[in-house]
Amino acid sequence: GINAEYGSDHDVVMEDSDNPLRWQLLLQRRIAEDPSATAAIVSQPEGCSAPVWHLENIRELTKELNLLAVALDQTCSPTTCPVMNATDNWHYLCAAHKSPKECCAIDYTTHTLEGTSAMLSSAKYFPSRGTVPTASVKYFQSIARRLYRILAHAYFHHRPEFDEFEAKHHVHERFVELGRQCNLIPDKLFVYNLVTVPVDTGF
């Protein structure tokens, strides 16, 4: 339960106080306890800075979105989904190239997850698990937006796979909760609002 979860946070952090991965371990333990308790999962723990906590959440979401990519592999192809979009009004360009360009949805997904993983592992941008350079915080919003597009595409074009994935992992619900708590994603970009907003340019 949530009370038990909060009650055990302190113990876990204290046990791992010298471990640079302690916030990652705490986040993963919260998810393992109850993946549907999204508000409790993304709640910033005492002693952890906001940028570090946001970074750990983005790392975890990236890893879990790789599971969704695998689930989409049989239904999302260059033939079925030649462009990366959510609704017909939203068409996204892939930023994994020197100049952003059009990719089919599954390539966009793969490029985005690979590029995000590489960036989050980069000593240039994130040299430590315990601190986040001020100059790197600005990347969180663009990373989160691009990751969320994978969920939005699955929601509108591969709903059975999306629903099965979400029922087990609650990643979309957690993404929304994180986006709201941490101001990573504007509310207008969430799937339930996309049908009423203008065409997006990809950025």
Side-chain angles (χ1 to χ4, degrees):
I2 291 177
N3 289 334
E5 177 180 359
Y6 277 128
S8 58
D9 275 359
H10 177 74
D11 295 336
V12 172
V13 172
M14 290 304 292
E15 288 174 9
D16 295 313
S17 60
D18 295 327
N19 188 340
L21 303 180
R22 64 188 180 280
W23 303 119
Q24 176 188 2
L25 296 172
L26 174 60
L27 176 61
Q28 291 175 343
R29 185 194 53 75
R30 286 181 174 184
I31 294 168
E33 273 193 3
D34 183 0
S36 69
T38 53
I41 288 169
V42 303
S43 176
Q44 183 180 333
E46 184 178 350
C48 183
S49 72
V52 168
W53 187 241
H54 297 171
L55 177 60
E56 291 302 340
N57 275 274
I58 292 171
R59 285 184 198 277
E60 190 62 31
L61 288 166
T62 302
K63 286 192 289 187
E64 292 183 72
L65 284 172
N66 274 284
L67 300 176
L68 177 60
V70 171
L72 295 179
D73 189 54
Q74 299 301 313
T75 59
C76 187
S77 71
T79 302
T80 60
C81 304
V83 297
M84 182 59 170
N85 62 352
T87 67
D88 290 339
N89 290 333
W90 288 73
H91 179 190
Y92 307 124
L93 298 179
C94 183
H97 311 273
K98 288 185 178 180
S99 296
K101 70 175 188 178
E102 195 172 277
C103 279
C104 65
I106 195 65
D107 284 353
Y108 181 104
T109 297
T110 301
H111 294 164
T112 297
L113 291 173
E114 288 178 349
T116 300
S117 296
M119 186 174 191
L120 296 178
S121 302
S122 170
K124 175 182 177 182
Y125 298 108
F126 303 104
S128 166
R129 297 300 285 260
T131 59
V132 175
T134 303
S136 296
V137 173
K138 64 185 179 184
Y139 297 112
F140 287 168
Q141 288 188 340
S142 61
I143 290 172
R145 283 201 312 273
R146 291 180 183 128
L147 291 175
Y148 186 78
R149 290 167 186 168
I150 299 170
L151 286 165
H153 175 77
Y155 178 88
F156 285 108
H157 298 278
H158 307 284
R159 192 59 177 270
E161 290 79 11
F162 174 90
D163 287 345
E164 183 178 356
F165 175 78
E166 184 65 10
K168 181 177 181 180
H169 299 285
H170 301 273
V171 166
H172 180 265
E173 185 182 351
R174 191 174 353 132
F175 222 128
V176 171
E177 191 68 43
L178 184 71
R180 287 175 166 167
Q181 285 194 20
C182 308
N183 297 315
L184 289 179
I185 302 177
D187 198 68
K188 67 180 182 180
L189 296 185
F190 293 131
V191 292
Y192 42 76
N193 290 325
L194 287 181
V195 293
T196 59
V197 294
V199 176
D200 180 43
T201 62
F203 293 94

